[in-house]
Amino acid sequence: MAFTIKNVNKIRQIVRLKLVMQKWKSMSVSGKRVPSGSLGVYVGAERCRFVIPTRYLKLPLFVSLLEKAEEEYGFQSDGGLVLPCEVEFFEAAVELLERDEHRFGAIGFNELVELFSSSSSFECKDSKGAFTPLLHRKARV
């Protein structure tokens, strides 16, 4: 079978397309697709993955978490966005926002900590019984 220049060019295009797709897949968060208008984030030392609406990033709680992430980890060029808080705290915060974003969206980080610390059912406590929503300084994730 004789290869023509046209066939060789098609094979090169297919190979290039495959390489581009592999690179794109490796650059995405864990190779998992995130819906349009959403953002994948990792939370806590366990690096639990959450997909949140990008509009959450302008809320006071997330502004504070992003500032704390910058303080804790600096700017990362590889991997996903890691938020330095306990998974339980993040889950509870997202649950409140999903329930009533208009009401709870204006609550800042400190107010949310107060709200959760007054709740006896919340598990995010250290050995002394104090509420600890953030990971310890310079925690490795």
Side-chain angles (χ1 to χ4, degrees), residues 19-139:
L19 291 173
V20 168
M21 293 302 292
Q22 286 174 340
K23 185 174 182 176
W24 174 80
K25 186 175 180 180
S26 70
M27 288 173 54
S28 67
V29 180
S30 300
K32 298 176 184 175
R33 304 263 340 237
V34 176
S36 179
S38 299
L39 172 70
V41 297
Y42 293 103
V43 177
E46 306 92 341
R47 289 191 73 150
C48 290
R49 185 172 183 269
F50 291 86
V51 176
I52 60 169
T54 53
R55 70 179 181 276
Y56 283 9
L57 295 179
K58 67 181 179 182
L59 301 177
L61 169 65
F62 283 91
V63 170
S64 294
L65 286 174
L66 290 170
E67 289 171 353
K68 291 177 188 319
E70 181 191 359
E71 290 172 13
E72 192 73 20
Y73 311 118
F75 292 108
Q76 299 172 338
S77 60
D78 59 336
L81 175 61
V82 180
L83 300 177
C85 65
E86 296 292 339
V87 173
E88 288 178 321
F89 175 79
F90 190 82
E91 285 176 333
V94 169
E95 185 179 313
L96 283 178
L97 290 170
E98 287 174 348
R99 192 177 324 151
D100 190 348
E101 185 176 343
H102 182 69
R103 179 177 171 202
F104 295 109
I107 294 178
F109 179 80
N110 293 331
E111 294 86 4
L112 200 58
V113 168
E114 284 182 34
L115 177 69
F116 289 155
S117 64
S118 65
S119 171
S120 60
S121 64
F122 205 78
E123 300 288 327
C124 208
K125 299 188 187 268
D126 66 11
S127 59
K128 299 174 187 168
F131 182 73
T132 57
L134 295 176
L135 296 178
H136 297 290
R137 298 288 287 156
K138 302 301 178 191

